[in-house]
Amino acid sequence: MNRQLDARVLVLPGAVLLVAYLTVVPLGMLVYGSFRSGAVGEPGATYTLANYARAYLDPALYRLFLNSIVYAAGTCLVSFLIGAYLAWVTERTNTPLRGLITVVALVPFIIPGILNTISWLFLLSPRIGLINLLVRDTLGLTAGPFNVYTLGGMIWVEATHLYPLVFLLMAAAFRSMDMSLEEASIIAGSRTFTTLRRVTLPLMRPAMMSTMLIMFVRAIESFEVPALIGIPAGMPVFTSKIFLAIHQFPSDFGLAGSYAITLLLLSTTGVLIYRRITRHGERFATITGKGYRPRVIDLGRWRYLACGGAMLIFVVTVALPVFVLLWVSVTPYYGVPSRELLQRATLEAYRYVLNYPMALQAFTNSFYLAAGSATAVMLLTSVVAWITVKSKIPGRALLDNLAFIPIAFPGIVLGVSLIWVTLALMPVIYGTFWLLLIAYITRFMPYGIRTASASMIQINDELEEAALACGSSWRQAFQRIILPLLMPGFVAGWIYVSIVSLRELSSSILLYSPQSIVLSILAFDMWEGGQYNYVAALGAMMVLLLVLMAAVARRLGAKVGLVQ
Amino acid sequence: MRRVVVLGLVVLAMAASLPVGAQDPIVESARKEGRFTWYTSMNIDDSQPLLDAFRKKYPFIKPELWRGSSEKVLNKIQTETRAGKFFFDVVAVNAFEAGFIKANKLAQPYLPPSAKAYRKGFVDPEGYWVDIYDNYFVLGYNTKLVAKAEAPKSWDDLLDPKWKGKFAMDPEDHPWYLALQDAWGREKAEKYGRALAGQTIQWRKGHTLIAQLLTAGEFPLGLVYAHRIEELKQKGAPVEWVTTTDPIPAELHPILIAAKAQNVNAAKLFVEFIASREGQAMIKAFGRIPAHPELELGWSVNPKQLKLQGVGVVGPDRASQVIKDWRDIFRPTGL
């Protein structure tokens, strides 16, 4: 009995304290800063409501907010449809080429946001977009049919960038789904698609909600698309305001903070809705003690159509942008593909990237940080998810919310607050690898908690109860029952966090030092230095690396997953 | 005979072993410091080689580099300083941020010997900074879409109705507008700005992107950096820039020494190095425009013939004012 208590007494409060520390400190800074007349630590600053007055008495804000909501809802919907379709096809059906689909579905994700956006400009710009030129010349039109500089264009570009996350989360959820419920429906005479609509999707509700919530907040706080497409399109959004506040002279963190509070309220509301919907967690438990068998549906002849659909998605959302990326990386300057330009093709950009100062150092750091932050985030959030989903500990809803808070921090605000806290409490880790690790764990905990929580709900309590009844300790039950059953979600979250860590820039830039430099900083450095073909070469290499990594991770995931 | 040679060699060896500038107290103090830290907005593949070359010259000094965009450099400096930490010795940023650093007493006065050669406007009269390189804001055009004879010759030509919707700018081209205010006065600049804003400007974020899209032909005209266009021209891209606009704003990138520099002597040596012909020649080799007036750029046009207007290091009040005016007149983000 004592032994049983030990792990719980240590692990649970430990996890809670860690989450609280990681989120409450920057949150405190954010809130405190939003009520101050000057930056934190500025002499002569006083408490004030002026920031809020300036932020919320501005009539333009509400129009922007409406823009943001439309843009975010559209992005959320499009990315969900694409991602969920691919996930269902690969996890639940006997469609050919499933392994390939899984790897390729992650590619849009590794392409840095700025490159992805610019690739789409080169594809869908009214004057020089490749797709437009192709359609125009094939059909003999006077102008191309598409214009990327519209709200629709913004939604499309952001959605193609975000759907891999939907794919990951939904694939994990589908994988933990028991066949017997669907079989029952089919025996009762329902067709495949009726079963999907009436049995499968309702059971997926926690995962769907989790995913949509992340998509929505991600789209609201996204930056590249609103800046590179929204500005020319004359579609300012909510984040444009935060950007302008940061680009005041000097940066106005008080104002940026009071805007960020809105994002915070929004994501909190989302979490509360999610908790309401999944209140009766047992209804969604698909992994039970009764002969649990995840298996695939035979689509019959439809499977070729399903595969064709997936391939079409890839040609449009992966092959085309990657082609643009490769084209840009081998040409000395951008031009519409032509024989003349092809003759000037050169691999100089790749040579240049490989010889960039600190490239090796950055690569090593990024690799360790990605693996380290992904592992730490998923372990921590698995424990937290157990508390919020399985335990009856009072205040668990608050914990769920806490772990989700960092999604609303603008990266630069988190960076500044971490500089403060570190210099005040632990100056010794300033500028080191560890500080970046703390930043990443904080930033990506929200994704971990949503993945872990959605997966945890699918595991029926009876399995753990059985283990405890047979005399195993809580630690043993957690380690040997819960974690292995969580594996699909754990791996999905791990892959996601490791990839976003590779791309993280806005906090890293303030916290790195030459010893702890990371890849994204070098990429941005090349971009700001005005060498676009070099950045494209780097992006192309990242895609290659990701494909290798995803293939390996999938092998491992399959090994430790549900195959036993 | 051999003896003479040996003696000669010994003398030579002794002469060579005399440390360079042994008389120079700055070098001696720098040797004791043995290190310095540089915060800069200059990208790494330019700033790192500069430090490497500096190290060849002074092997006993170990430099450290931190690179971020100017506004990030400023945020980092401010946050660290308020927390009572002084990690940086030297800082090089855009003119606006440099003005803020100077006005907030975060820098100390130092002018390197090489600064004597610099033109007026490229060195601080109060002795806090010296300029190291410039961005010339010029009118670029795509030669496939605009014939040389057709291209605008002056800023006013941009107001011709035929350029409506054909000219691209960055939503943060404040330095360009500051130069117009300096050259024409605030009123005339505003009148011009409002007329230009009526031309349906194509806003695009980032000068890199504007240069790329201009090359690709998304729009025929754009406000770009001269050295970027020169670089693209060398690669064979169909772009050119207008040399006759008056003024041509030259945005400065000053270098300053921190008020509380821990390694002030090493910092002084570095500032002198980067402002000297040697350091400036490296900056030119990176494809940037050095501030040193005696370096030939190898362009078809001699910069001395351009109507350059150094966009200076102004105080925070003026900088905020310009940004406010700019946003008010142009509303680049639709806000």
Side-chain angles (χ1 to χ4, degrees), chain A residues 144-163:
Chain A
F146 301 106
N147 181 2
V148 72
Y149 299 112
T150 53
L151 180 64
M154 286 167 76
I155 289 173
W156 172 252
V157 174
E158 187 70 24
T160 54
H161 191 48
L162 289 181
Y163 80 71

Side-chain angles (χ1 to χ4, degrees), chain A residues 40 45 70 103 136 178 283 315 407 442 456 471:
Chain A
V40 180
V70 175
V103 174
R136 189 189 71 189
D178 192 344
R283 283 172 38 200
V315 169
I407 203 167
T442 310
M456 192 68 81

Side-chain angles (χ1 to χ4, degrees), chain B residues 26 88-91 98 101-113 115 123-130 255-261 263-265 267-269 271-272:
Chain B
I26 294 186
F88 75 105
D89 301 295
V90 190
V91 59
I101 288 170
K102 179 183 161 184
N104 278 269
K105 313 226 176 341
L106 295 169
Q108 57 174 290
Y110 172 71
L111 284 185
V123 185
D124 184 19
E126 291 162 14
Y128 279 83
W129 53 261
V130 57
I255 191 161
L256 310 95
I257 295 184
K260 306 243 176 169
N263 308 295
V264 73
N265 294 292
K268 284 178 179 172
L269 288 182
V271 172
E272 164 58 19

Side-chain angles (χ1 to χ4, degrees), chain A residues 125 149 352 430 512 528, chain B residues 44-45 66-67 80 82 218:
Chain A
S125 155
Y149 299 112
Y352 174 89
Y430 190 65
Y512 87 98
E528 286 206 321
Chain B
I44 296 172
D45 65 326
W66 184 86
R67 192 267 160 185
E80 286 172 352
R82 287 190 188 122
E218 175 151 316

